[in-house]
Amino acid sequence: MNDVFEQAQRFTEMWTNLATKVAAASAGGNGDAASPEASKQIRGAIFAALSQQAEQFMRSEQFLDLLRQSMSGSIQMREQMKDYLTEVHHGLQGVARQDVDSLLIALRHLETRVLDRLEAVDGKIDALARQLKTLKTANGGTGGTRQRAGKGKRH
Amino acid sequence: MLDGNGANAAQEWTGAWADEFAANVGRFARLPFLWQRAQRVKKGATPSEVVYEEDRIKLLHYKSDVPAKYRTPLLFVFALVNRPYILDLKTGKSVVSQFVERGFDTYLLDWGIPTDAEKHLTLDDHINGYLQNVLEFICERNRVPQLNLFGYCMGGTMSAMFTALHQRLVKNLILLAAGIDFASRDGLLQLWTDRSIFDVDRFVKAYGNCPPIFLQNAFLMLKPIQNLIEKPIGLFERLADDEFVDDYFTMEGWLNDNIPVPGEVFREFVKYLYQENRLVQGTMPLGKHIVNLKKITCPVLNLMARRDDLVPCSQSRPFNDLISSQDRKTIEFDAGHIGMAVGSKAQRELWPQASEWLASRS
């Protein structure tokens, strides 16, 4: 019960502060308070006050709690939808997104293993090329250089 | 009965409101044609050609009538969360054209739009894979051993990491509003991504790639009054100003052109940077490597926006103290995150300074 009163008190404080700032901004007009330009100035001051209050609110515990709950709720809904659709697809003997994801992960791991092996081979070839160059230089010849093939499409 | 002064004031008051009423009638009359105006927006100002492609990424090379004055080419790297043409938005609002006209052989890396199949790609794939391939291609194409690297926002963070791991390929490094140290809570994003609030593992498992609407809404909520109320009112009041309306729709077109972020990249960026702040601690993993910013020794220009609510200065400022470069400069400019690139003041004052800095080191 105390939590409810505390929350209510915090909300009341927030809106009271906002109203005070808006009133202060509105009272800052000059003698031509009704002219369009002066009205725009007052409006600008009100928006600045609102912005400040919005920033404070978005740093407050209430907002962060709301954010946490909202995120958790969205994610939970998404997870439930995914599980439901997976069951439906499987029930209809079809392929679900989860199956495609598993396949992609398997391919990715395979790619990583192959690339790691290629890197190791590349390292050994580089080492051999360096040794060969050293030998040739020692014997009075000139060492060759490796051409690097890029992976992408060049234009 | 009103005296002379009172009658004058009342007359002025009536006149001012009559003018405002007439202006509003004019504005309302333009409203039906706004949709057509919005469709006529063009993306990109400087002519370019695609010179390299790999999977979804493209490398743009900017063409110039004038031959390049500097041998070392320049590569722009933008974030993965938006399209990169913000750097070449329109004539008079293009960072790219400032450098092209200065005489740099300029390239831009377009990360493309990731599909669901790319959700397992990591920061390592992007930095030590795509980015390294692109840099090596440019060096080979131009027959140079190094190039100048320019990173903006998340692209700046990635460029810093790349330079730490491949310093031999980078001659000069320019960072624009790049997040490096995520310890402070100056920015709302740093607060909202705290691990007590945002479970990034669960999010990525549920959604795969980070949906564009998620980030778009998050950015919108950083300044809700400004984005949802002040901006539309500002547009309405200046509907008679064709140049303003054109700029507005060009900018809004880009702001709403968000793309998904590959799931694993999103997870690593949020977890290792926003939540664990590993880059400044020297424990940032990138594949099999650990990023050590001390390995950066090239000249560095660190540009920050004083009114940046997305990447506050406190995130970028510590960078120059974490590297080993002798030649390092910081410029804190009075602009916002996007204003640094497209704002008139930045185009007039900041970019000539930055291009001069690079020219003197190329």
Side-chain angles (χ1 to χ4, degrees):
Chain A
M1 195 64 167
N2 280 339
D3 282 346
V4 171
F5 279 128
E6 264 182 44
Q7 271 198 3
Q9 190 182 6
R10 281 202 292 265
F11 269 114
T12 311
E13 259 177 45
M14 187 191 78
W15 285 110
T16 314
N17 284 341
L18 172 63
T20 310
K21 282 181 183 167
V22 167
S26 310
N30 58 23
D32 292 319
S35 76
E37 281 313 309
S39 301
K40 283 175 189 170
Q41 281 179 11
I42 293 169
R43 184 186 71 193
I46 291 172
F47 284 152
L50 278 171
S51 288
Q52 265 185 23
Q53 200 63 21
E55 167 103 13
Q56 272 179 28
F57 173 65
M58 288 191 291
R59 287 179 181 275
S60 66
E61 274 308 311
Q62 299 98 297
F63 179 81
L64 295 176
D65 275 337
L66 272 170
L67 186 63
R68 190 183 300 119
Q69 284 168 26
S70 160
M71 285 295 317
S72 185
S74 302
I75 292 172
Q76 196 175 4
M77 206 160 75
R78 177 90 180 182
E79 284 168 342
Q80 284 169 354
M81 181 65 79
K82 267 177 78 172
D83 290 341
Y84 170 72
L85 286 174
T86 302
E87 269 192 51
V88 167
H89 277 115
H90 286 167
L92 296 171
Q93 301 279 311
V95 175
R97 182 187 279 261
Q98 211 169 313
D99 304 320
V100 176
D101 283 349
S102 305
L103 191 59
L104 285 174
I105 291 178
L107 279 172
R108 176 122 179 105
H109 289 159
L110 175 67
E111 183 191 25
T112 307
R113 286 197 297 273
V114 167
L115 286 176
D116 283 347
R117 295 282 177 92
L118 278 175
E119 210 176 304
V121 168
D122 198 40
K124 287 178 182 170
I125 293 175
D126 271 340
L128 283 170
R130 278 196 299 274
Q131 282 181 4
L132 191 61
K133 189 177 173 185
T134 313
L135 279 171
K136 280 188 177 174
T137 312
N139 289 340
T142 53
T145 51
R146 283 187 68 207
Q147 295 295 322
R148 190 196 175 278
K151 188 185 167 195
K153 187 166 71 176
R154 295 136 191 258
H155 298 266
Chain B
M1 192 167 148
L2 292 170
D3 63 7
N5 283 338
N8 279 342
Q11 212 170 14
E12 276 177 29
W13 183 92
T14 313
W17 280 107
D19 288 342
E20 188 66 19
F21 178 77
N24 280 337
V25 167
R27 289 166 191 146
F28 274 109
R30 286 169 180 263
L31 279 177
F33 305 103
L34 269 189
W35 179 250
Q36 279 176 350
R37 297 288 303 276
Q39 301 308 301
R40 286 205 299 263
V41 157
K42 289 184 195 150
K43 299 173 191 174
T46 314
S48 64
E49 55 182 348
V50 175
V51 295
Y52 180 88
E53 287 179 77
E54 185 179 346
D55 298 337
R56 76 182 195 274
I57 70 155
K58 287 183 172 51
L59 179 67
L60 303 179
H61 175 237
Y62 288 96
K63 299 186 218 177
S64 173
D65 294 331
V66 179
K69 248 165 62 175
Y70 306 101
R71 228 179 137 231
T72 311
L74 170 64
L75 172 66
F76 282 89
V77 178
F78 188 57
L80 286 159
V81 304
N82 284 98
R83 305 307 307 280
Y85 58 83
I86 186 66
L87 286 159
D88 186 39
L89 192 63
K90 62 184 288 197
T91 309
K93 291 185 183 297
S94 168
V95 176
V96 161
S97 69
Q98 292 257 8
F99 286 88
V100 169
E101 284 160 18
R102 191 66 206 247
F104 287 97
D105 193 17
T106 308
Y107 295 81
L108 175 84
L109 175 53
D110 184 348
W111 294 109
I113 303 174
T115 62
D116 281 342
E118 277 137 334
K119 65 180 162 191
H120 300 295
L121 291 179
T122 60
L123 274 173
D124 180 46
D125 292 314
H126 286 80
I127 295 173
N128 292 320
Y130 294 134
L131 186 53
Q132 185 173 352
N133 287 349
V134 159
L135 259 95
E136 286 176 350
F137 167 75
I138 296 172
C139 287
E140 206 178 299
R141 185 175 196 252
N142 287 49
R143 293 189 176 82
V144 292
Q146 296 177 310
L147 52 67
N148 297 316
L149 192 54
F150 183 123
Y152 185 5
C153 187
M154 184 183 178
T157 315
M158 293 166 73
S159 298
M161 289 196 253
F162 178 87
T163 308
L165 293 172
H166 306 280
Q167 174 60 89
R168 61 181 174 85
L169 286 174
V170 180
K171 186 166 182 180
N172 297 294
L173 176 65
I174 299 178
L175 299 184
L176 173 57
I180 301 291
D181 185 355
F182 298 81
S184 83
R185 289 291 181 259
D186 289 352
L188 282 168
L189 274 186
Q190 286 151 285
L191 191 57
W192 293 346
T193 50
D194 190 273
R195 66 174 81 225
S196 62
I197 293 162
F198 184 49
D199 186 344
V200 67
D201 291 323
R202 206 173 150 215
F203 179 87
V204 170
K205 192 173 176 197
Y207 285 94
N209 289 342
C210 177
I213 191 80
F214 176 77
L215 285 176
Q216 198 171 329
N217 286 341
F219 298 153
L220 203 80
M221 289 309 293
L222 292 175
K223 292 267 181 218
I225 305 298
Q226 197 177 34
N227 291 326
L228 298 172
I229 304 176
E230 287 191 80
K231 250 206 290 190
I233 291 177
L235 171 65
F236 179 74
E237 287 183 342
R238 295 182 69 176
L239 276 175
D241 184 345
D242 286 341
E243 202 182 321
F244 174 83
V245 172
D246 194 50
D247 284 350
Y248 180 92
F249 281 125
T250 308
M251 196 64 240
E252 287 300 305
W254 178 81
L255 281 170
N256 289 291
D257 199 1
N258 288 73
I259 53 177
V261 180
E264 287 307 311
V265 169
F266 184 73
R267 184 207 306 269
E268 287 180 341
F269 211 84
V270 170
K271 184 180 269 200
Y272 294 147
L273 293 171
Y274 275 90
Q275 292 180 346
E276 297 175 7
N277 201 21
R278 285 185 176 225
L279 190 55
V280 299
Q281 294 165 36
T283 57
M284 174 75 192
L286 212 63
K288 287 183 283 194
H289 311 278
I290 298 288
V291 179
N292 180 3
L293 292 176
K294 279 284 175 214
K295 297 260 177 85
I296 296 176
T297 53
C298 64
V300 164
L301 175 61
N302 194 2
L303 303 170
M304 292 167 236
R306 214 169 277 142
R307 290 182 279 114
D308 196 336
D309 41 84
L310 196 62
V311 182
C313 289
S314 56
Q315 270 189 26
S316 309
R317 208 178 280 123
F319 179 68
N320 286 19
D321 296 328
L322 295 167
I323 57 179
S324 300
S325 308
Q326 297 300 309
D327 180 359
R328 41 194 169 170
K329 183 174 175 168
T330 297
I331 299 178
E332 276 190 42
F333 195 76
D334 185 27
H337 188 73
I338 303 301
M340 281 283 271
V342 301
S344 315
K345 193 177 170 195
Q347 291 290 318
R348 270 194 326 269
E349 295 174 22
L350 175 65
W351 295 113
Q353 215 181 328
S355 59
E356 172 57 38
W357 179 90
L358 192 62
S360 62
R361 289 159 179 79
S362 291

